[in-house]
Amino acid sequence: MDGGGRLARSSRLSRLQSDLKAVAHAVAALLRERRSRKKQARPQRLVRPEPSRGVIAVLERWLPRRVGVAFTALILLGSAGMGIVKGGHVDEFVQALDDTRNGAANLAGFRIKQVAIAGRKQLTQDEILAIGGITGRSSLLFLDAAAVRDKLKANPWIADATVLKFYPGELQIDIVERTAFARWQLDGHMSVIADDGAVLEPYVARRFLSLPLVVGKGAGERAKDFIALLQRYPQVWSQTRAVALVGERRWNVWLTSGLVIRMPEHDVGNALTMLSQLDQDDKLFSRDITAIDMRLPDRLTVRLSDAAFKAREELLSSKDKKSKKKAGDA
C-alpha cells in the first residue's frame, strides 16, 4: 500500500500539472489571436498628398477656419435682401425693424406719454400727429425731430414748425399755420388758397364761403396785391363779388349786381378812383348796365342791358318819328 499509494498520488499530481499547462497554453494562444485581430482591424494611416499650389489651397492654408461660415452667412443674408427688394417688401421690412426698436424703447421707459401742440387753428391734434408720422407705437428715443418737422412743413397749412423732445416721454410741437385768404376757381374747380397762392384745401368747406373769390390761371399768386388795392376803394370793394385774371395780364371785377368792370392792364389805381367818383356822383353801379369797359386809357364805355337797350331804341325811334312828322307838317 505504501508503495502503491505514493505512486497513485504522484501520477495524479503530474496529470493536474499537465492539464494546467495545457490550459495556460490555450489561454496564451487565444490572447495572441485576439491581439492579431485587433492589429488587422486597426485602420492604416493614409498618406496625405502634397498640398495643391492653387488659390483655394492658399486660402485654406492662410485664412481662419471661421471665414467660410461667415462667408456663407453673408451669402444667405444677401440672398434674403435680394428677395426682399425684388418682392417689393422693403417698406414692410423697414417698418418691421422700426416697430421692433420702438417697441424695445417703449419697454425701456421711452414711450411718448404726453404731447403738447401749440399754434393750431384749422388742423386738429390728430391731423398734426398723422402728418408728422407719429403713432401710438412711436418712442421718444428713436423719434427723429428733424424728420417730423420736415413732414409738418410739407403740409400746405403749416408755414413753420418746431419739434422738441423732453425725456423720458414728453413731446412738444409748435406750428405756425397759414391763413386762408381766398377761394380760387380754375377750370370749374374750386379750392382754398393762402395769400401766396398755395392751395390749402382742394375743396371749399362751409366755413370758407365768405372768402373772396378769385378766378383764372395765375390769379392765386397775384390776387393778394390786387385785392389789397381794391380794398383802398370801399365804393368798389363793398360791392365786389369776384375778381378774374384775364390772360394773366389784367383783371375783371364782378359786382354783386352782375355788372362786370373790365380794368385796364396799367394805371389801375386811377381807373378805380374814376369809378368811385362816378358811382358817388351819378350812381353808376345802380344803372341798368351790364359792363363797364376801361381798357382804353382815354375813354370809358358802358354796355346797356337788353331791356335798357330796347327801351333806348324805342325812345330814339319815337323821337325820330316825331321829328319827321313836324318836318312834314311844315
Side-chain angles (χ1 to χ4, degrees):
M1 178 177 176
D2 293 337
R6 287 195 291 269
L7 182 59
R9 286 198 295 270
S10 61
S11 61
R12 287 197 211 101
L13 183 59
S14 60
R15 194 181 300 118
L16 180 60
Q17 290 176 349
S18 62
D19 292 337
L20 290 175
K21 287 181 180 180
V23 170
H25 288 302
V27 171
L30 182 60
L31 291 175
R32 284 195 301 270
E33 183 179 2
R34 288 186 176 181
R35 191 179 295 115
S36 63
R37 287 180 180 179
K38 287 182 181 181
K39 289 182 179 180
Q40 293 176 359
R42 184 180 301 170
Q44 297 180 357
R45 293 183 62 184
L46 298 177
V47 179
R48 295 185 62 181
E50 288 294 328
S52 174
R53 297 181 182 273
V55 176
I56 297 178
V58 173
L59 292 176
E60 289 180 349
R61 181 177 180 182
W62 294 104
L63 291 180
R65 296 181 179 179
R66 304 295 182 184
V67 170
V69 178
F71 187 68
T72 303
L74 287 175
I75 293 177
L76 293 176
L77 289 175
S79 300
M82 186 178 296
I84 291 173
V85 172
K86 286 189 174 181
H89 304 295
V90 176
D91 293 338
E92 298 176 6
F93 180 72
V94 173
Q95 185 62 46
L97 290 179
D98 189 60
D99 291 343
T100 301
R101 68 172 187 170
N102 280 326
N106 289 334
L107 290 176
F110 294 99
R111 183 181 300 277
I112 300 176
K113 299 178 181 179
Q114 183 177 353
V115 179
I117 300 178
R120 65 176 185 85
K121 296 177 182 178
Q122 301 294 338
L123 298 173
T124 65
Q125 177 169 321
D126 290 340
E127 287 174 336
I128 293 174
L129 294 177
I131 293 169
I134 303 170
T135 66
R137 299 187 300 271
S138 301
S139 67
L140 194 68
L141 181 62
F142 293 112
L143 184 70
D144 189 342
V148 173
R149 180 176 182 269
D150 292 340
K151 291 179 182 179
L152 291 173
K153 291 186 64 177
N155 185 273
W157 272 110
I158 301 176
D160 199 4
T162 303
V163 181
L164 300 175
K165 301 194 298 181
F166 298 97
Y167 289 103
E170 183 179 352
L171 181 66
Q172 180 175 332
I173 301 175
D174 297 329
I175 66 172
V176 178
E177 282 191 357
R178 287 189 174 94
T179 302
F181 173 71
R183 295 170 293 153
W184 178 38
Q185 179 179 319
L186 180 65
D187 298 331
H189 181 75
M190 194 87 71
S191 57
V192 178
I193 61 173
D195 57 5
D196 60 354
V199 176
L200 301 178
E201 289 187 0
Y203 56 89
V204 178
R206 184 179 297 273
R207 66 182 185 274
F208 299 126
L209 292 178
S210 61
L211 294 175
L213 175 61
V214 298
V215 182
K217 183 179 179 181
E221 293 82 359
R222 298 176 57 180
K224 178 182 179 181
D225 294 336
F226 183 68
I227 289 179
L229 179 61
L230 272 179
Q231 289 173 343
R232 292 162 54 184
Y233 299 88
Q235 197 77 19
V236 181
W237 174 247
S238 62
Q239 301 185 58
T240 298
R241 185 185 70 179
V243 296
L245 186 63
V246 181
E248 299 187 61
R249 296 184 299 105
R250 62 170 195 85
W251 293 91
N252 284 348
V253 179
W254 294 81
L255 302 187
T256 54
S257 61
L259 175 64
V260 56
I261 304 172
R262 297 182 174 93
M263 304 299 299
E265 185 176 354
H266 306 290
D267 205 9
V268 179
N270 287 337
L272 290 172
T273 300
M274 181 186 299
L275 280 173
S276 300
Q277 192 65 41
L278 287 172
D279 184 61
Q280 184 176 348
D281 297 341
D282 301 326
K283 305 298 180 183
L284 180 64
F285 298 158
S286 302
R287 296 198 174 191
D288 199 2
I289 57 178
T290 59
I292 301 174
D293 194 340
M294 306 185 74
R295 289 176 291 180
L296 297 177
D298 58 344
R299 72 189 66 180
L300 181 147
T301 306
V302 297
R303 179 180 179 181
L304 299 175
S305 65
D306 292 340
F309 179 78
K310 185 177 180 180
R312 182 175 182 275
E313 288 293 319
E314 291 176 353
L315 179 61
L316 292 175
S317 177
S318 62
K319 286 182 177 180
D320 185 51
K321 288 180 180 179
K322 287 181 181 180
S323 63
K324 286 182 180 180
K325 183 176 181 181
K326 288 180 180 179
D329 292 340

